[in-house]
Amino acid sequence: MNVKGIQVVELLLSKYLNISKSNDQYRRLGLILITILSCTAISAFFTFYNLVIDYYPPLLYVDFIGTLLGGLSLYLFLRFRWILLSSFILILMVTGVCFMVMVDRNNLDYSLAWAFVAPLISIFLLGYLYGTLYSLLYLAFVMWLSGSNLGVWQPAPWDRDSFANIIAIYLLLFMLSCYYEASRRYAHQLLQESNDKLRTLASTDALTGLFNRRHMEDLLLNSKKILFIIMADVDNFKSINDEFGHAVGDEVLVSLGKVMQSVAGPDGTVGRWGGEEFIIAIHADQEKEVMRLPQRLLEAVSSHPFATGRPVTVSLGCAFHNAKEHRATLRCVDEALYSAKTSGKNCYKLVKYPL
């Protein structure tokens, strides 16, 4: 099925059933709808064929009734959303028309090829279990019809009717298979996008948009290089919440995260450690350069215009981090941060942990 055909299906599902592509029922309902449309169109074509191109009343009546049933199935599907009933009507229509064609034409015009339509349609409409049971029942009728005519039916000539049958069956199965594959790929794409969102949510702090503690822990534990880490704590943050409210306090945290990202640059990773605590991790390849980072951060924070209308400051604990001594380094950073807090705040302390 081409892109326009898929767009028609999307439009019908959206307009009549209020089903979007993100809905978990979209793929199943889309398959049922395209099956109804395809089978009804094929039945309508053979109604026209047996009326105009090669007039044959017996199959004309069969195909005409099949077209009416297909239209009824489509109406019940779109108008009342009677999915099960419309599916049951359609599968009866498809298998009934196919069986009547085989009974009337026997093996002439390659009519037995219509037996291959029922298994695919029944699986699409009824699912694996009921579709398989229905197909097995239908197979029993086909085996009875074919077996009772062993030695009776003669070789079928390849003529215009045979050609029309084979092409119609091929197009029907091809359209259904293409739509099934397109819907499968789209479902896989949605799953990938959903997994990406879950991964992002699992590693992102909801308020600031920074990495969360879990992500930063993984970064520190799995780093094969020496990192320089800065643990930051907002000075007097409780008083900010008490005086200005938690909404302003949240704005301060968000703004602070942006300031830290700006100072850390593309080589640094910033995360929210918890509450009003933040952490910055950066590769310590150039020790002199990273040693300037704490002072730059203090100056950037104290000069930033926060929502409080007055300066906000932070205290910093800094250390060089080795993944092999992860827990011990974090304890040292906490001690350094506590020392900065008790030394008047708005300052940093560096701990030289042996790496």
Side-chain angles (χ1 to χ4, degrees), residues 44-62:
F45 166 76
F46 276 103
T47 300
F48 172 81
Y49 183 90
N50 290 309
L51 177 64
V52 178
I53 299 177
D54 189 6
Y55 184 68
Y56 188 67
L59 292 186
L60 169 62
Y61 301 142
V62 170

Side-chain angles (χ1 to χ4, degrees), residues 293-309:
L293 198 62
Q295 187 59 42
R296 286 171 50 204
L297 180 58
L298 291 174
E299 294 172 357
V301 172
S302 61
S303 62
H304 184 80
F306 287 95
T308 58

